[in-house]
Amino acid sequence: MKNKLSWFAVPYVVWMALMVVIPILIMVVYAFTTAEFQGTLENFSEMGTYTSVFLRSFRLAIVATLVCLLIGYPVSYWMAHEGPGFQRVAMALIMLPMWMNFLLRTYSWMSILENNGLLNQFFKAIGLLKVMGVDHIPMIGTSGAVVLGMVYNYLPFMILPIYSVIVKLDGSLLEAARDLGANSAGVFRKVILPLSLPGVLSGVTMVFVPSVSTFAISRLLGGGTQIMLGDLIEQQFLGGAYDPHLGAAISMVMMVIVVVCMFVMNRFGEGEEEAVML
């Protein structure tokens, strides 16, 4: 019976081979070859000229992830301790923006943040711009605008995994901690926070990975001045500086770094779970 059921996995295996394994192999081949497909390591040595792009990408992704965590954890904790009706409404409100196209959501922030956008029009109406002696407050084309776009688009991916873990915590553990003399802060620090770390690590991974590789947000809200790794890779495949071999090398390095970060975070989560069990 087990052997018969294993045949149902064949379509998935074929799909993974065609859409994941083969593209990765092609990327590896391009990364280690020249335009004539001769073996070389020059593609990796050329990446030294883009060190600032790597640093900017990881810096903005880390900032966006931390902001999402600072906002997402309290929201998740609050939702988990409210009634079922409130949780359903809150979940719908969190997911509602996700029903809109990703690019449309980002374009909407352009109309809000641009020099003649809604925010600057509001500041002008209340006289703030006159007090500051400026025509507008520059917001679009800054790293802050890029981080704002990341937080807005990826915040649900931080809230949902943390909420799903906290809401399933055994209430008897919290009661036992209180019976043993722990106050509310102690219960949170010694019980809720350690047990919710798997959700935190999942949320961090789900926010950090798309943030470090984004290109639409940085292009639209960064105004071309906040180039990130996603933009750099796109330029190598679609831009005037067409060099798919260099683009493949950058993609490979970024993929390795992301995989290493995920491995470290997962190992950290396993260690925390074992410490809690002890």
Side-chain angles (χ1 to χ4, degrees), residues 34-47:
T34 63
E36 293 76 23
F37 288 96
Q38 301 293 325
T40 183
L41 295 176
E42 291 183 2
N43 297 320
F44 295 94
S45 62
E46 289 182 23
M47 286 190 294

Side-chain angles (χ1 to χ4, degrees), residues 83-193:
F86 178 88
Q87 293 179 9
R88 286 192 293 268
V89 173
M91 189 67 65
L93 292 176
I94 292 171
M95 296 301 297
L96 188 61
M98 307 299 292
W99 298 352
M100 187 186 304
N101 182 271
F102 177 86
L103 288 177
L104 290 179
R105 298 199 305 269
T106 307
Y107 273 118
S108 66
W109 275 108
M110 290 181 63
S111 64
I112 294 173
L113 300 176
E114 63 185 8
N115 295 339
N116 198 33
L118 295 178
L119 268 181
N120 275 307
Q121 290 291 338
F122 173 73
F123 294 150
K124 183 178 180 180
I126 64 175
L128 179 61
L129 297 182
K130 185 176 181 181
V131 172
M132 297 177 63
V134 296
D135 295 329
H136 64 273
I137 299 176
M139 291 176 282
I140 200 77
T142 63
S143 58
V146 176
V147 171
L148 177 62
M150 292 179 183
V151 172
Y152 174 75
N153 283 289
Y154 302 135
L155 182 59
F157 300 120
M158 180 68 73
I159 294 176
L160 296 180
I162 297 176
Y163 163 77
S164 64
V165 171
I166 295 179
V167 77
K168 295 177 183 178
L169 293 181
D170 190 350
S172 61
L173 293 176
L174 308 183
E175 294 177 2
R178 292 191 179 94
D179 291 340
L180 292 172
N183 54 22
S184 298
V187 171
F188 174 79
R189 188 177 67 256
K190 296 182 178 180
V191 180
I192 298 177
L193 182 60

Side-chain angles (χ1 to χ4, degrees), residues 15-272:
W15 175 266
M16 289 292 291
L18 292 176
M19 300 299 172
V20 178
V21 178
I22 293 178
I24 290 178
L25 293 177
I26 294 175
M27 178 187 68
V28 173
V29 171
Y30 268 75
F32 287 97
T33 56
T34 63
E36 293 76 23
F37 288 96
Q38 301 293 325
T40 183
L41 295 176
E42 291 183 2
N43 297 320
F44 295 94
S45 62
E46 289 182 23
M47 286 190 294
T49 58
Y50 301 107
T51 302
S52 60
V53 178
F54 276 85
L55 294 177
R56 182 186 302 114
S57 298
F58 281 90
R59 175 172 55 85
L60 296 183
I62 291 172
V63 171
T65 303
L66 291 177
V67 173
C68 286
L69 179 59
L70 292 175
I71 298 174
Y73 197 99
V75 172
S76 304
Y77 184 85
W78 176 40
M79 287 173 53
H81 288 81
E82 294 293 334
F86 178 88
Q87 293 179 9
R88 286 192 293 268
V89 173
M91 189 67 65
L93 292 176
I94 292 171
M95 296 301 297
L96 188 61
M98 307 299 292
W99 298 352
M100 187 186 304
N101 182 271
F102 177 86
L103 288 177
L104 290 179
R105 298 199 305 269
T106 307
Y107 273 118
S108 66
W109 275 108
M110 290 181 63
S111 64
I112 294 173
L113 300 176
E114 63 185 8
N115 295 339
N116 198 33
L118 295 178
L119 268 181
N120 275 307
Q121 290 291 338
F122 173 73
F123 294 150
K124 183 178 180 180
I126 64 175
L128 179 61
L129 297 182
K130 185 176 181 181
V131 172
M132 297 177 63
V134 296
D135 295 329
H136 64 273
I137 299 176
M139 291 176 282
I140 200 77
T142 63
S143 58
V146 176
V147 171
L148 177 62
M150 292 179 183
V151 172
Y152 174 75
N153 283 289
Y154 302 135
L155 182 59
F157 300 120
M158 180 68 73
I159 294 176
L160 296 180
I162 297 176
Y163 163 77
S164 64
V165 171
I166 295 179
V167 77
K168 295 177 183 178
L169 293 181
D170 190 350
S172 61
L173 293 176
L174 308 183
E175 294 177 2
R178 292 191 179 94
D179 291 340
L180 292 172
N183 54 22
S184 298
V187 171
F188 174 79
R189 188 177 67 256
K190 296 182 178 180
V191 180
I192 298 177
L193 182 60
L195 292 178
S196 64
L197 278 181
V200 171
L201 294 176
S202 296
V204 167
T205 302
M206 294 175 67
V207 172
F208 176 77
V209 172
S211 295
V212 77
S213 59
T214 186
F215 65 94
I217 296 175
S218 54
R219 183 201 304 166
L220 297 177
L221 299 183
T225 62
Q226 304 294 322
I227 298 177
M228 298 180 64
L229 282 174
D231 305 293
L232 182 60
I233 293 171
E234 184 191 31
Q235 290 175 4
Q236 307 307 315
F237 286 94
L238 301 176
Y242 180 76
D243 190 351
H245 297 271
L246 177 59
I250 298 172
S251 301
M252 183 177 174
V253 170
M254 185 179 69
M255 183 182 68
V256 171
I257 293 174
V258 169
V259 170
V260 170
C261 292
M262 292 174 61
F263 176 78
V264 171
M265 286 188 290
N266 289 335
R267 292 294 298 175
F268 176 77
E270 291 175 3
E272 288 293 337

